[in-house]
Amino acid sequence: MIRYLSYEVRLALHPAVWLLPSLFAILRLTGVIRPESTGWLGFLEVMFPLLFPLLSFSLLERERNWRTLEVWVATPWRKAAALLVRYLSTLLPLFLTVVAAVRPEDYLLILSPGLLLGGLSLLFGLALGEEVGLGIGLAWWGVSFALGVTRPQILAHEVASWFLLMLSNAPLSPQQVLSRKWMHLGMGLLLLLLASASADHKRSWKPR
């Protein structure tokens, strides 16, 4: 099992992706970035989730070109498990970047919208095509960003605020923000599991 996981991680990750967490670790150690900075945290909450649907798109594009789903039919491993391992391996540098950039109590604030968008893009990417999945993920991010900028009062709405991704500047109590972030995380994990399960039922995947 360890040998298999090690192989999947090496297959999923290009060595260059480790530059991002390494860079943030250096910037934090040198004091260039300060995890306790409110402005820095808000910037990460807005921009960092964009990387997750982009990585979902990249993973699906690569698997399509490699015809991976057809190859997995002949392996003893379920396609769902293999896809899940590769996707989580792809996200590993992002997790390490968050660890290097923010305090532990802020991990949920940064990671939950990204996991939600990534799981959404992966699920719809498998079902409808990776471009559609990426478009849906980016559309949710864009609507959340636009409403947060043009109509900041909506961030305090009892219903709408559950569907907006950027809440660090919302006029909500820490408990309210935390409950919404936990909901985003739960939805993201559920979408990821659904996407992984759908890989077992995908019979064909024609390369371009």
Side-chain angles (χ1 to χ4, degrees):
M1 175 62 74
I2 295 178
R3 183 179 180 182
Y4 165 73
L5 292 176
S6 175
Y7 173 77
E8 288 289 356
V9 171
R10 292 198 306 270
L11 191 64
L13 294 177
H14 189 279
V17 302
W18 298 110
L19 293 175
L20 183 63
S22 300
L23 174 62
F24 274 82
I26 293 173
L27 292 176
R28 180 169 179 176
L29 290 173
T30 56
V32 176
I33 60 174
R34 299 181 181 275
E36 65 277 5
S37 173
T38 304
W40 169 247
L41 186 64
F43 172 79
L44 283 181
E45 188 192 20
V46 171
M47 301 307 299
F48 199 75
L50 280 174
L51 298 177
F52 288 77
L54 291 173
L55 284 180
S56 295
F57 172 83
S58 176
L59 175 66
L60 293 179
E61 182 79 4
R62 183 182 60 204
E63 303 301 334
R64 177 191 291 275
N65 292 333
W66 288 355
R67 295 184 66 88
T68 305
L69 293 183
E70 287 80 357
V71 174
W72 279 338
V73 171
T75 69
W77 300 98
R78 291 183 59 193
K79 289 179 286 185
L83 181 64
L84 182 62
V85 169
R86 289 194 182 182
Y87 181 70
L88 293 178
S89 299
T90 303
L91 297 185
L92 180 60
L94 296 186
F95 294 149
L96 296 179
T97 300
V98 171
V99 170
V102 302
R103 301 170 300 175
E105 55 266 32
D106 295 323
Y107 290 170
L108 184 65
L109 187 70
I110 305 301
L111 287 174
S112 58
L115 289 171
L116 175 56
L117 294 180
L120 185 71
S121 297
L122 190 66
L123 177 61
F124 282 96
L126 280 168
L128 303 174
E130 57 268 29
E131 295 90 352
V132 177
L134 177 63
I136 292 174
L138 295 182
W140 192 343
W141 179 90
V143 170
S144 297
F145 178 74
L147 290 177
V149 172
T150 61
R151 297 187 178 181
Q153 68 276 9
I154 204 172
L155 293 173
H157 194 278
E158 293 183 0
V159 177
S161 60
W162 288 89
F163 298 94
L164 300 178
L165 302 175
M166 302 84 173
L167 298 173
S168 60
N169 295 323
L172 300 170
S173 68
Q175 292 76 18
Q176 289 175 315
V177 172
L178 190 61
S179 63
R180 286 153 177 76
K181 290 296 181 177
W182 276 114
M183 189 272 289
H184 293 164
L185 178 62
M187 287 180 60
L189 294 177
L190 177 60
L191 290 170
L192 177 56
L193 292 176
L194 290 175
S196 300
S198 70
D200 279 325
H201 302 286
K202 193 171 182 62
R203 298 182 179 179
S204 64
W205 198 342
K206 297 180 181 179
R208 290 188 178 84

